[in-house]
Amino acid sequence: MRDLTGHATIRSLIRPSSFVSPRLMIDGVVLGFDFGTRRIGVAIGSRLTGRARPLTTIDGGDSEIRWEALGALIDEWQPVALAVGIPRHPDDTPHAMTTRCERFARQLEGRYRVPVERIDERYSSAVVEHEADVDAAAAAVILQQWLDGGAHDA
């Protein structure tokens, strides 16, 4: 295939077996959440690399603004999966926030039609208590836990 000047187009120089579409590169993006009533920490990760990093924190106060911000992140990153931290006590009994986090996970599934994984988040905030953005850092710990559990092989 040639362009108007007679030169071969770049697309014609790439063999199909070596071409990776941008969509395939995006397919590994996952977002992780550390849900709180005041703030929601958000992390981004890749199933391809198996790495997560803090992304941002969303003010959890106004419900409508919170969902708009979450929707904007999901539209921007087009994740193939989401991971929500579910708090539990050390003896595995439900925490005061367990029900709220489960509800948040169900709402994400219903609104965005993306698979949502529930991750045990015990001690995630304690691990990052000295970080500048504790909520986003805790979300990264939660997401990294999921990635380390083999999610990138799914």
Side-chain angles (χ1 to χ4, degrees):
M1 182 183 252
R2 304 219 170 252
D3 65 14
L4 297 176
T5 62
H7 293 90
T9 63
I10 291 184
R11 183 69 127 175
S12 68
L13 298 175
I14 300 173
R15 294 187 3 224
S17 62
S18 67
F19 180 71
V20 177
S21 78
R23 180 68 194 145
L24 289 177
M25 292 168 54
I26 293 171
D27 278 346
V29 173
V30 290
L31 293 177
F33 301 95
D34 179 35
F35 177 81
T37 55
R38 289 180 283 149
R39 292 177 304 278
I40 301 170
V42 184
I44 187 165
S46 167
R47 291 196 297 183
L48 178 66
T49 65
R51 298 281 183 235
R53 68 174 176 81
L55 182 62
T56 191
T57 296
I58 296 170
D59 179 30
D62 183 283
S63 181
E64 193 58 38
I65 293 172
R66 176 184 64 206
W67 286 111
E68 285 177 23
L70 289 165
L73 285 172
I74 289 170
D75 285 347
E76 178 181 355
W77 292 103
Q78 296 291 305
V80 296
L82 306 173
V84 174
I86 306 294
R88 301 191 71 78
H89 289 291
D91 65 356
D92 206 35
T93 58
H95 186 277
M97 285 294 291
T98 302
T99 303
R100 288 182 142 172
C101 292
E102 288 283 359
R103 181 173 185 249
F104 175 68
R106 286 190 307 275
Q107 288 175 316
L108 285 171
E109 285 172 328
R111 285 177 182 253
Y112 304 110
R113 305 285 186 226
V114 176
V116 177
E117 300 294 327
R118 278 99 167 143
I119 311 304
D120 181 350
E121 72 160 51
R122 278 178 270 200
Y123 312 116
S124 62
S125 294
V127 170
V128 296
E129 65 186 346
H130 299 295
E131 296 289 327
D133 186 345
V134 172
D135 300 296
V141 168
I142 292 164
L143 184 53
Q144 189 64 57
Q145 242 182 296
W146 181 61
L147 292 168
D148 289 347
H152 56 284
D153 297 330

